[in-house]
Amino acid sequence: MRRLAKLRDLIRDRREAIVDRVIRETRKSRTDALVSEIIGVLDHLTYLEKFAPRILADRRVHTPLTLMGKKSKVVFEPLGVVLVISPWNYPFYQAIVPITSAFVAGNSVVYKPSEHTPLQGLVEQLLQDAGFRASWVQFVYGAGEIGASLISERPDKVFFTGSTATGRKILAQAAPLLVPVEIELGGKDPMIVFEDANLDRAAAGAAWGALTNTGQSCTSVEVVYVQETVYDRFRELLIGEVKAIRQSTDTGPDVDIGGMTVEFQAEIVRKQVLDAKSLGARIEPAAEESGSLLRPVVVDNLTPTMKLMNEETFGPLIPLVEFRDEQEVIEKANASPYGLSASVWTNDPARADRVARAIVTGNVSINNVMLTEGNPALPFGGIKQSGFGRYKGEFGLYSFSNIKSILVDKNAGKIEANWFPYTAAKYDAFSRLIANLYSRGPLAFIRFALAGMKLESLAKRPRRRAG
Ligand code: NAD
């Protein structure tokens, strides 16, 4: 914990240098880097310092009456070596958060960042200065083949964050080795806006949720469903928000979004726009590029076969779809093969709760966007093609632990009633115990106690000797 506190202090004090480095490698805006990468990491470290010792402490658990005289507990032990493989979109956050989560649960870590944004040396230096020994967290730089070769070394767990396609490859490689894998993959996150929502706030939220980090977030808003009665008004407001966005690769603080981090991702976005256009979509402001910048656009008049309705975009596109009622929008949202996160916007708390529960996904924000990730106490992860497993928060720490069950029996000198020899008398006593223990009423309890005493006396009998 001392080292985590030191690490937090170092990150707080060196934040400008870290932000500069992150911007250089990702092209994201300065505020995106400061808020998403630095605050997220500091909140996470603060959470670990405060709660991890309690979460990972030995825990006594219930022992049933049938096991009278015994005590049960759960202890949390390290798995061993955890291999963390990360993507390029939040290179600082995606390094520190999984590394420290695995470390605080007692594991050593091998960390492989993305080859596109490796931040080479930066995280190593911070950990070293915070007092981590080099052998506790080892860094390996390189592309996918290096990641694959590290898996073949049979780590005790692989924690992977990245695309669904790579997630599949990693599972296939790890399966015959029986190496456990946790996969945090892509998404096609819906934002659902009901007619009673505050439309100004929802439009601003849609613009931010779809375009922060230039749309390159796993939980970006990838499609906005808007109730038909407010559709035109919302669209107008959203286009206004998008037109007002200041996009630049300048590194100053007066920039909303930067450029795309990698050219291959920009190409995926361009193809989705062209495909939608050729199939009759309406695109506003008119899709255009400015220098190396891909401009954000709102796209509607969509049909289900369009690429942007089926593939993750991971770029500055905001598809808009109209819906009639609650049932229809739930069906539409759940038709997605992904299930990472979602948001629901309405002034009706009961409806918000109903829809949040009905969406098949891992995380839902109500009247906000991408915010579950902002709370380090909430477990994070997806279902369907967005992966499985949870990290962060209490549940997340367990996924880096060997959750060991221990049962202690103080009756060291006795033979158990359910051990050999089996006899008709024991069978009868067990049968009476079952009939009464799982019934109600004082008589049943007395009969259960009598059957238990009978079993006790039978259990005391010395073991039959052969011959
Ligand atoms: P990617 O799958 O291409 O690469 C991710 C990492 O895997 C990189 O470090 C890469 O070198 C490594 N890798 C590639 N092939 C490998 C192999 N065969 N064996 C082992 N390692 C291999 O993903 P990306 O393009 O870096 O990131 C973008 C994707 O990540 C998007 O789909 C995004 O939604 C997803 N993502 C998900 C989350 C989440 O928490 N669910 C967070 C951020 C990004």
Side-chain angles (χ1 to χ4, degrees):
M1 287 307 141
R2 202 168 21 93
R3 293 181 183 88
L4 288 185
K6 176 81 178 153
L7 179 62
R8 192 194 54 189
D9 292 348
L10 290 174
I11 293 171
R12 180 198 60 215
D13 294 346
R14 297 180 193 172
R15 62 188 180 278
E16 285 304 317
I18 297 169
V19 163
D20 281 336
R21 182 72 185 277
V22 167
I23 295 173
R24 226 170 30 245
E25 296 199 15
T26 61
R27 304 175 81 219
K28 67 178 68 185
S29 73
R30 182 160 214 93
T31 308
D32 267 345
L34 185 74
V35 175
S36 304
E37 306 245 30
I38 304 292
I39 297 183
V41 158
L42 294 177
D43 267 350
H44 166 77
L45 292 172
T46 308
Y47 175 84
L48 288 185
E49 276 174 61
K50 199 162 172 195
F51 295 102
R54 220 178 304 163
I55 292 168
L56 296 169
D58 294 359
R59 191 172 307 172
R60 192 153 174 195
V61 295
H62 171 74
T63 306
L65 268 179
T66 45
L67 300 180
M68 204 183 277
K70 287 121 175 102
K71 280 194 304 192
S72 309
K73 67 179 170 184
V74 176
V75 299
F76 302 93
E77 295 183 345
L79 292 166
V81 177
V82 175
L83 169 60
V84 175
I85 301 178
S86 288
W88 46 260
N89 58 336
Y90 289 95
F92 189 66
Y93 181 96
Q94 295 289 1
I96 300 284
V97 174
I99 287 174
T100 51
S101 299
F103 175 77
V104 87
N107 301 284
S108 58
V109 180
V110 174
Y111 178 68
K112 193 204 90 63
S114 166
E115 61 276 30
H116 304 295
T117 54
L119 301 180
Q120 192 148 353
L122 177 80
V123 178
E124 279 161 289
Q125 189 65 54
L126 282 164
L127 292 179
Q128 190 185 319
D129 294 349
F132 286 62
R133 292 203 195 129
S135 59
W136 293 347
V137 183
Q138 297 182 49
F139 290 75
V140 181
Y141 296 99
E145 318 81 72
I146 298 290
S149 71
L150 290 169
I151 295 169
S152 68
E153 295 295 322
R154 295 173 182 254
D156 297 292
K157 174 149 191 171
V158 178
F159 180 83
F160 171 74
T161 307
S163 63
T164 300
T166 308
R168 270 201 193 95
K169 285 189 207 157
I170 288 178
L171 284 179
Q173 190 190 352
L177 304 174
L178 289 179
V179 168
V181 178
E182 183 158 336
I183 46 175
E184 304 283 352
L185 310 177
K188 192 78 199 160
D189 290 359
M191 166 169 177
I192 299 171
V193 184
F194 286 98
E195 59 190 357
D196 63 344
N198 177 334
L199 293 189
D200 286 314
R201 178 176 159 80
W208 185 81
L211 303 175
T212 180
N213 208 28
T214 323
Q216 303 163 108
S217 305
C218 55
T219 53
S220 285
V221 171
E222 289 249 337
V223 50
V224 188
Y225 294 103
V226 186
Q227 198 154 19
E228 58 189 6
T229 41
V230 294
Y231 184 86
D232 291 338
R233 170 93 187 106
F234 181 87
R235 180 173 175 275
E236 203 179 294
L237 288 169
L238 181 60
I239 290 171
E241 292 286 340
V242 169
K243 281 183 174 161
I245 280 179
R246 295 154 307 168
Q247 186 178 23
S248 164
T249 48
D250 289 353
T251 57
D254 294 329
V255 169
D256 297 319
I257 62 173
M260 295 293 284
T261 299
V262 285
E263 176 50 31
F264 63 78
Q265 195 61 45
E267 199 45 37
I268 291 172
V269 181
R270 281 185 206 108
K271 281 192 178 139
Q272 289 191 2
V273 174
L274 282 178
D275 170 73
K277 212 171 184 176
S278 72
L279 293 170
R282 180 164 62 154
I283 297 172
E284 239 184 283
E288 57 171 70
E289 298 203 23
S290 162
S292 64
L293 294 174
L294 204 55
R295 292 292 192 196
V297 285
V298 176
V299 192
D300 73 343
N301 273 356
L302 303 170
T303 52
T305 55
M306 289 175 181
K307 282 185 201 296
L308 59 72
M309 288 304 286
N310 297 291
E311 300 168 2
E312 183 184 41
T313 301
F314 220 56
L317 289 192
I318 318 183
L320 275 190
V321 176
E322 234 176 275
F323 71 89
R324 206 176 42 255
D325 56 27
E326 192 176 316
Q327 194 53 38
E328 187 196 345
V329 77
I330 289 168
E331 278 164 23
K332 279 186 159 152
N334 284 345
S336 167
Y338 292 99
L340 190 55
S341 88
S343 65
V344 182
W345 302 69
T346 171
N347 270 334
D348 176 348
R351 170 156 66 188
D353 190 65
R354 223 169 32 235
V355 176
R357 289 170 192 270
I359 304 292
V360 183
T361 190
N363 315 266
V364 182
S365 300
I366 294 174
N367 292 325
N368 210 312
V369 66
M370 295 174 76
L371 205 58
T372 51
E373 260 191 291
N375 181 354
L378 283 173
F380 182 77
I383 59 170
K384 300 202 273 184
Q385 289 188 22
S386 295
F388 47 75
R390 293 292 179 268
Y391 90 121
K392 304 208 302 184
E394 179 179 354
F395 302 100
L397 284 181
Y398 299 144
S399 61
F400 293 109
S401 303
N402 174 26
I403 304 173
K404 187 183 274 180
S405 297
I406 298 182
L407 185 137
V408 186
D409 193 338
K410 287 208 204 122
N411 297 327
K414 234 172 49 176
I415 287 171
E416 294 288 301
N418 65 309
W419 292 355
F420 302 136
Y422 291 163
T423 64
K426 276 191 184 178
Y427 190 87
D428 179 58
F430 271 123
S431 193
R432 278 186 290 119
L433 179 138
I434 291 168
N436 292 297
L437 176 59
Y438 305 110
S439 302
R440 276 169 288 275
L443 263 182
F445 188 76
I446 291 166
R447 287 200 199 104
F448 152 72
L450 288 173
M453 278 154 63
K454 177 72 180 165
L455 278 170
E456 275 288 294
S457 71
L458 292 169
K460 280 181 191 142
R461 282 199 190 150
R463 186 153 160 49
R464 210 177 29 203
R465 300 258 166 239

PDB file of all heavy atoms in Angstrom, residues 143-169:
ATOM      1  N   ALA A 143       4.783  -6.276 -30.884  1.00  0.00           N
ATOM      2  CA  ALA A 143       3.462  -6.401 -31.501  1.00  0.00           C
ATOM      3  C   ALA A 143       2.773  -7.700 -31.072  1.00  0.00           C
ATOM      4  O   ALA A 143       3.184  -8.343 -30.103  1.00  0.00           O
ATOM      5  CB  ALA A 143       3.606  -6.316 -33.007  1.00  0.00           C
ATOM      6  N   GLY A 144       1.756  -8.097 -31.845  1.00  0.00           N
ATOM      7  CA  GLY A 144       0.927  -9.239 -31.479  1.00  0.00           C
ATOM      8  C   GLY A 144       1.708 -10.540 -31.285  1.00  0.00           C
ATOM      9  O   GLY A 144       1.406 -11.322 -30.387  1.00  0.00           O
ATOM     10  N   GLU A 145       2.742 -10.763 -32.139  1.00  0.00           N
ATOM     11  CA  GLU A 145       3.497 -12.032 -32.026  1.00  0.00           C
ATOM     12  C   GLU A 145       4.165 -12.139 -30.665  1.00  0.00           C
ATOM     13  O   GLU A 145       4.289 -13.221 -30.102  1.00  0.00           O
ATOM     14  CB  GLU A 145       4.626 -12.180 -33.072  1.00  0.00           C
ATOM     15  CG  GLU A 145       4.318 -11.748 -34.473  1.00  0.00           C
ATOM     16  CD  GLU A 145       4.433 -10.255 -34.650  1.00  0.00           C
ATOM     17  OE1 GLU A 145       5.566  -9.714 -34.646  1.00  0.00           O
ATOM     18  OE2 GLU A 145       3.361  -9.627 -34.785  1.00  0.00           O
ATOM     19  N   ILE A 146       4.605 -10.983 -30.148  1.00  0.00           N
ATOM     20  CA  ILE A 146       5.250 -11.002 -28.826  1.00  0.00           C
ATOM     21  C   ILE A 146       4.210 -11.380 -27.763  1.00  0.00           C
ATOM     22  O   ILE A 146       4.469 -12.182 -26.871  1.00  0.00           O
ATOM     23  CB  ILE A 146       5.864  -9.610 -28.497  1.00  0.00           C
ATOM     24  CG1 ILE A 146       6.940  -9.251 -29.503  1.00  0.00           C
ATOM     25  CG2 ILE A 146       6.397  -9.539 -27.071  1.00  0.00           C
ATOM     26  CD1 ILE A 146       8.202 -10.079 -29.408  1.00  0.00           C
ATOM     27  N   GLY A 147       3.009 -10.818 -27.918  1.00  0.00           N
ATOM     28  CA  GLY A 147       1.928 -11.163 -26.995  1.00  0.00           C
ATOM     29  C   GLY A 147       1.664 -12.666 -27.033  1.00  0.00           C
ATOM     30  O   GLY A 147       1.543 -13.320 -25.994  1.00  0.00           O
ATOM     31  N   ALA A 148       1.604 -13.214 -28.262  1.00  0.00           N
ATOM     32  CA  ALA A 148       1.332 -14.654 -28.413  1.00  0.00           C
ATOM     33  C   ALA A 148       2.451 -15.479 -27.785  1.00  0.00           C
ATOM     34  O   ALA A 148       2.202 -16.496 -27.129  1.00  0.00           O
ATOM     35  CB  ALA A 148       1.173 -14.983 -29.890  1.00  0.00           C
ATOM     36  N   SER A 149       3.706 -15.026 -27.970  1.00  0.00           N
ATOM     37  CA  SER A 149       4.806 -15.833 -27.407  1.00  0.00           C
ATOM     38  C   SER A 149       4.790 -15.773 -25.874  1.00  0.00           C
ATOM     39  O   SER A 149       5.144 -16.738 -25.207  1.00  0.00           O
ATOM     40  CB  SER A 149       6.164 -15.415 -27.986  1.00  0.00           C
ATOM     41  OG  SER A 149       6.504 -14.150 -27.477  1.00  0.00           O
ATOM     42  N   LEU A 150       4.323 -14.668 -25.318  1.00  0.00           N
ATOM     43  CA  LEU A 150       4.224 -14.596 -23.851  1.00  0.00           C
ATOM     44  C   LEU A 150       3.133 -15.551 -23.337  1.00  0.00           C
ATOM     45  O   LEU A 150       3.294 -16.177 -22.297  1.00  0.00           O
ATOM     46  CB  LEU A 150       3.902 -13.159 -23.410  1.00  0.00           C
ATOM     47  CG  LEU A 150       5.041 -12.146 -23.617  1.00  0.00           C
ATOM     48  CD1 LEU A 150       4.537 -10.719 -23.401  1.00  0.00           C
ATOM     49  CD2 LEU A 150       6.214 -12.436 -22.685  1.00  0.00           C
ATOM     50  N   ILE A 151       2.044 -15.678 -24.098  1.00  0.00           N
ATOM     51  CA  ILE A 151       0.985 -16.610 -23.673  1.00  0.00           C
ATOM     52  C   ILE A 151       1.516 -18.042 -23.686  1.00  0.00           C
ATOM     53  O   ILE A 151       1.206 -18.848 -22.808  1.00  0.00           O
ATOM     54  CB  ILE A 151      -0.252 -16.485 -24.585  1.00  0.00           C
ATOM     55  CG1 ILE A 151      -0.875 -15.092 -24.412  1.00  0.00           C
ATOM     56  CG2 ILE A 151      -1.293 -17.562 -24.268  1.00  0.00           C
ATOM     57  CD1 ILE A 151      -1.937 -14.738 -25.432  1.00  0.00           C
ATOM     58  N   SER A 152       2.373 -18.341 -24.686  1.00  0.00           N
ATOM     59  CA  SER A 152       2.885 -19.715 -24.770  1.00  0.00           C
ATOM     60  C   SER A 152       3.794 -20.071 -23.590  1.00  0.00           C
ATOM     61  O   SER A 152       4.078 -21.231 -23.350  1.00  0.00           O
ATOM     62  CB  SER A 152       3.596 -19.947 -26.111  1.00  0.00           C
ATOM     63  OG  SER A 152       4.767 -19.166 -26.119  1.00  0.00           O
ATOM     64  N   GLU A 153       4.219 -19.053 -22.833  1.00  0.00           N
ATOM     65  CA  GLU A 153       5.024 -19.320 -21.615  1.00  0.00           C
ATOM     66  C   GLU A 153       4.139 -19.731 -20.440  1.00  0.00           C
ATOM     67  O   GLU A 153       4.609 -19.909 -19.329  1.00  0.00           O
ATOM     68  CB  GLU A 153       5.814 -18.062 -21.214  1.00  0.00           C
ATOM     69  CG  GLU A 153       6.870 -17.620 -22.220  1.00  0.00           C
ATOM     70  CD  GLU A 153       7.981 -18.639 -22.376  1.00  0.00           C
ATOM     71  OE1 GLU A 153       8.381 -19.247 -21.365  1.00  0.00           O
ATOM     72  OE2 GLU A 153       8.416 -18.839 -23.534  1.00  0.00           O
ATOM     73  N   ARG A 154       2.849 -19.853 -20.685  1.00  0.00           N
ATOM     74  CA  ARG A 154       1.881 -20.287 -19.672  1.00  0.00           C
ATOM     75  C   ARG A 154       1.862 -19.419 -18.414  1.00  0.00           C
ATOM     76  O   ARG A 154       2.169 -19.898 -17.307  1.00  0.00           O
ATOM     77  CB  ARG A 154       2.153 -21.732 -19.227  1.00  0.00           C
ATOM     78  CG  ARG A 154       1.960 -22.760 -20.287  1.00  0.00           C
ATOM     79  CD  ARG A 154       2.436 -24.108 -19.742  1.00  0.00           C
ATOM     80  NE  ARG A 154       2.312 -25.140 -20.726  1.00  0.00           N
ATOM     81  CZ  ARG A 154       1.389 -26.093 -20.719  1.00  0.00           C
ATOM     82  NH1 ARG A 154       0.496 -26.117 -19.766  1.00  0.00           N
ATOM     83  NH2 ARG A 154       1.351 -27.003 -21.650  1.00  0.00           N
ATOM     84  N   PRO A 155       1.505 -18.160 -18.549  1.00  0.00           N
ATOM     85  CA  PRO A 155       1.310 -17.357 -17.327  1.00  0.00           C
ATOM     86  C   PRO A 155       0.138 -17.955 -16.536  1.00  0.00           C
ATOM     87  O   PRO A 155      -0.619 -18.775 -17.062  1.00  0.00           O
ATOM     88  CB  PRO A 155       0.954 -15.970 -17.871  1.00  0.00           C
ATOM     89  CG  PRO A 155       0.421 -16.223 -19.245  1.00  0.00           C
ATOM     90  CD  PRO A 155       1.149 -17.430 -19.771  1.00  0.00           C
ATOM     91  N   ASP A 156      -0.027 -17.524 -15.294  1.00  0.00           N
ATOM     92  CA  ASP A 156      -1.122 -18.068 -14.484  1.00  0.00           C
ATOM     93  C   ASP A 156      -2.459 -17.445 -14.855  1.00  0.00           C
ATOM     94  O   ASP A 156      -3.511 -17.970 -14.509  1.00  0.00           O
ATOM     95  CB  ASP A 156      -0.809 -17.856 -13.000  1.00  0.00           C
ATOM     96  CG  ASP A 156       0.451 -18.619 -12.626  1.00  0.00           C
ATOM     97  OD1 ASP A 156       0.404 -19.852 -12.642  1.00  0.00           O
ATOM     98  OD2 ASP A 156       1.495 -17.981 -12.388  1.00  0.00           O
ATOM     99  N   LYS A 157      -2.404 -16.308 -15.536  1.00  0.00           N
ATOM    100  CA  LYS A 157      -3.634 -15.700 -16.046  1.00  0.00           C
ATOM    101  C   LYS A 157      -3.273 -14.700 -17.136  1.00  0.00           C
ATOM    102  O   LYS A 157      -2.222 -14.039 -17.045  1.00  0.00           O
ATOM    103  CB  LYS A 157      -4.381 -14.978 -14.924  1.00  0.00           C
ATOM    104  CG  LYS A 157      -5.595 -14.201 -15.421  1.00  0.00           C
ATOM    105  CD  LYS A 157      -6.697 -14.134 -14.417  1.00  0.00           C
ATOM    106  CE  LYS A 157      -7.958 -13.594 -15.072  1.00  0.00           C
ATOM    107  NZ  LYS A 157      -9.114 -13.693 -14.227  1.00  0.00           N
ATOM    108  N   VAL A 158      -4.133 -14.590 -18.140  1.00  0.00           N
ATOM    109  CA  VAL A 158      -3.971 -13.525 -19.135  1.00  0.00           C
ATOM    110  C   VAL A 158      -5.117 -12.537 -18.925  1.00  0.00           C
ATOM    111  O   VAL A 158      -6.286 -12.935 -18.869  1.00  0.00           O
ATOM    112  CB  VAL A 158      -4.042 -14.069 -20.580  1.00  0.00           C
ATOM    113  CG1 VAL A 158      -3.929 -12.923 -21.582  1.00  0.00           C
ATOM    114  CG2 VAL A 158      -2.964 -15.110 -20.830  1.00  0.00           C
ATOM    115  N   PHE A 159      -4.751 -11.271 -18.788  1.00  0.00           N
ATOM    116  CA  PHE A 159      -5.774 -10.231 -18.721  1.00  0.00           C
ATOM    117  C   PHE A 159      -5.629  -9.411 -19.999  1.00  0.00           C
ATOM    118  O   PHE A 159      -4.671  -8.652 -20.163  1.00  0.00           O
ATOM    119  CB  PHE A 159      -5.578  -9.351 -17.475  1.00  0.00           C
ATOM    120  CG  PHE A 159      -6.619  -8.273 -17.403  1.00  0.00           C
ATOM    121  CD1 PHE A 159      -7.869  -8.536 -16.881  1.00  0.00           C
ATOM    122  CD2 PHE A 159      -6.373  -7.010 -17.913  1.00  0.00           C
ATOM    123  CE1 PHE A 159      -8.856  -7.562 -16.852  1.00  0.00           C
ATOM    124  CE2 PHE A 159      -7.349  -6.023 -17.892  1.00  0.00           C
ATOM    125  CZ  PHE A 159      -8.590  -6.312 -17.358  1.00  0.00           C
ATOM    126  N   PHE A 160      -6.575  -9.583 -20.901  1.00  0.00           N
ATOM    127  CA  PHE A 160      -6.460  -8.962 -22.221  1.00  0.00           C
ATOM    128  C   PHE A 160      -7.516  -7.885 -22.437  1.00  0.00           C
ATOM    129  O   PHE A 160      -8.700  -8.100 -22.171  1.00  0.00           O
ATOM    130  CB  PHE A 160      -6.624 -10.037 -23.314  1.00  0.00           C
ATOM    131  CG  PHE A 160      -6.735  -9.444 -24.693  1.00  0.00           C
ATOM    132  CD1 PHE A 160      -5.619  -8.930 -25.331  1.00  0.00           C
ATOM    133  CD2 PHE A 160      -7.967  -9.366 -25.342  1.00  0.00           C
ATOM    134  CE1 PHE A 160      -5.724  -8.346 -26.599  1.00  0.00           C
ATOM    135  CE2 PHE A 160      -8.078  -8.789 -26.605  1.00  0.00           C
ATOM    136  CZ  PHE A 160      -6.950  -8.279 -27.232  1.00  0.00           C
ATOM    137  N   THR A 161      -7.094  -6.747 -22.931  1.00  0.00           N
ATOM    138  CA  THR A 161      -8.022  -5.706 -23.367  1.00  0.00           C
ATOM    139  C   THR A 161      -7.690  -5.387 -24.820  1.00  0.00           C
ATOM    140  O   THR A 161      -6.535  -5.080 -25.137  1.00  0.00           O
ATOM    141  CB  THR A 161      -7.872  -4.429 -22.519  1.00  0.00           C
ATOM    142  OG1 THR A 161      -7.985  -4.783 -21.144  1.00  0.00           O
ATOM    143  CG2 THR A 161      -8.960  -3.420 -22.849  1.00  0.00           C
ATOM    144  N   GLY A 162      -8.675  -5.457 -25.684  1.00  0.00           N
ATOM    145  CA  GLY A 162      -8.417  -5.159 -27.095  1.00  0.00           C
ATOM    146  C   GLY A 162      -9.610  -5.544 -27.941  1.00  0.00           C
ATOM    147  O   GLY A 162     -10.747  -5.581 -27.454  1.00  0.00           O
ATOM    148  N   SER A 163      -9.353  -5.857 -29.203  1.00  0.00           N
ATOM    149  CA  SER A 163     -10.456  -6.087 -30.134  1.00  0.00           C
ATOM    150  C   SER A 163     -11.046  -7.488 -29.957  1.00  0.00           C
ATOM    151  O   SER A 163     -10.383  -8.405 -29.456  1.00  0.00           O
ATOM    152  CB  SER A 163      -9.960  -5.914 -31.563  1.00  0.00           C
ATOM    153  OG  SER A 163      -8.975  -6.887 -31.826  1.00  0.00           O
ATOM    154  N   THR A 164     -12.266  -7.648 -30.437  1.00  0.00           N
ATOM    155  CA  THR A 164     -12.928  -8.953 -30.360  1.00  0.00           C
ATOM    156  C   THR A 164     -12.167  -9.984 -31.197  1.00  0.00           C
ATOM    157  O   THR A 164     -12.006 -11.134 -30.786  1.00  0.00           O
ATOM    158  CB  THR A 164     -14.397  -8.800 -30.828  1.00  0.00           C
ATOM    159  OG1 THR A 164     -15.023  -7.846 -29.950  1.00  0.00           O
ATOM    160  CG2 THR A 164     -15.163 -10.100 -30.747  1.00  0.00           C
ATOM    161  N   ALA A 165     -11.636  -9.556 -32.345  1.00  0.00           N
ATOM    162  CA  ALA A 165     -10.908 -10.493 -33.209  1.00  0.00           C
ATOM    163  C   ALA A 165      -9.676 -11.038 -32.481  1.00  0.00           C
ATOM    164  O   ALA A 165      -9.424 -12.252 -32.482  1.00  0.00           O
ATOM    165  CB  ALA A 165     -10.500  -9.793 -34.501  1.00  0.00           C
ATOM    166  N   THR A 166      -8.907 -10.165 -31.833  1.00  0.00           N
ATOM    167  CA  THR A 166      -7.707 -10.638 -31.118  1.00  0.00           C
ATOM    168  C   THR A 166      -8.114 -11.455 -29.892  1.00  0.00           C
ATOM    169  O   THR A 166      -7.461 -12.456 -29.564  1.00  0.00           O
ATOM    170  CB  THR A 166      -6.820  -9.448 -30.691  1.00  0.00           C
ATOM    171  OG1 THR A 166      -6.577  -8.629 -31.831  1.00  0.00           O
ATOM    172  CG2 THR A 166      -5.495  -9.912 -30.136  1.00  0.00           C
ATOM    173  N   GLY A 167      -9.193 -11.059 -29.237  1.00  0.00           N
ATOM    174  CA  GLY A 167      -9.684 -11.816 -28.079  1.00  0.00           C
ATOM    175  C   GLY A 167      -9.930 -13.274 -28.448  1.00  0.00           C
ATOM    176  O   GLY A 167      -9.560 -14.193 -27.720  1.00  0.00           O
ATOM    177  N   ARG A 168     -10.525 -13.486 -29.630  1.00  0.00           N
ATOM    178  CA  ARG A 168     -10.796 -14.859 -30.088  1.00  0.00           C
ATOM    179  C   ARG A 168      -9.493 -15.636 -30.257  1.00  0.00           C
ATOM    180  O   ARG A 168      -9.391 -16.785 -29.856  1.00  0.00           O
ATOM    181  CB  ARG A 168     -11.473 -14.821 -31.461  1.00  0.00           C
ATOM    182  CG  ARG A 168     -12.926 -14.766 -31.376  1.00  0.00           C
ATOM    183  CD  ARG A 168     -13.615 -15.224 -32.655  1.00  0.00           C
ATOM    184  NE  ARG A 168     -14.989 -14.800 -32.502  1.00  0.00           N
ATOM    185  CZ  ARG A 168     -15.479 -13.663 -32.977  1.00  0.00           C
ATOM    186  NH1 ARG A 168     -14.724 -12.862 -33.694  1.00  0.00           N
ATOM    187  NH2 ARG A 168     -16.724 -13.341 -32.756  1.00  0.00           N
ATOM    188  N   LYS A 169      -8.484 -14.968 -30.866  1.00  0.00           N
ATOM    189  CA  LYS A 169      -7.200 -15.653 -31.099  1.00  0.00           C
ATOM    190  C   LYS A 169      -6.563 -16.043 -29.766  1.00  0.00           C
ATOM    191  O   LYS A 169      -5.991 -17.117 -29.625  1.00  0.00           O
ATOM    192  CB  LYS A 169      -6.219 -14.719 -31.839  1.00  0.00           C
ATOM    193  CG  LYS A 169      -6.531 -14.546 -33.298  1.00  0.00           C
ATOM    194  CD  LYS A 169      -5.379 -13.792 -33.947  1.00  0.00           C
ATOM    195  CE  LYS A 169      -5.863 -13.035 -35.162  1.00  0.00           C
ATOM    196  NZ  LYS A 169      -5.035 -11.924 -35.539  1.00  0.00           N
TER     197      LYS A 169
END
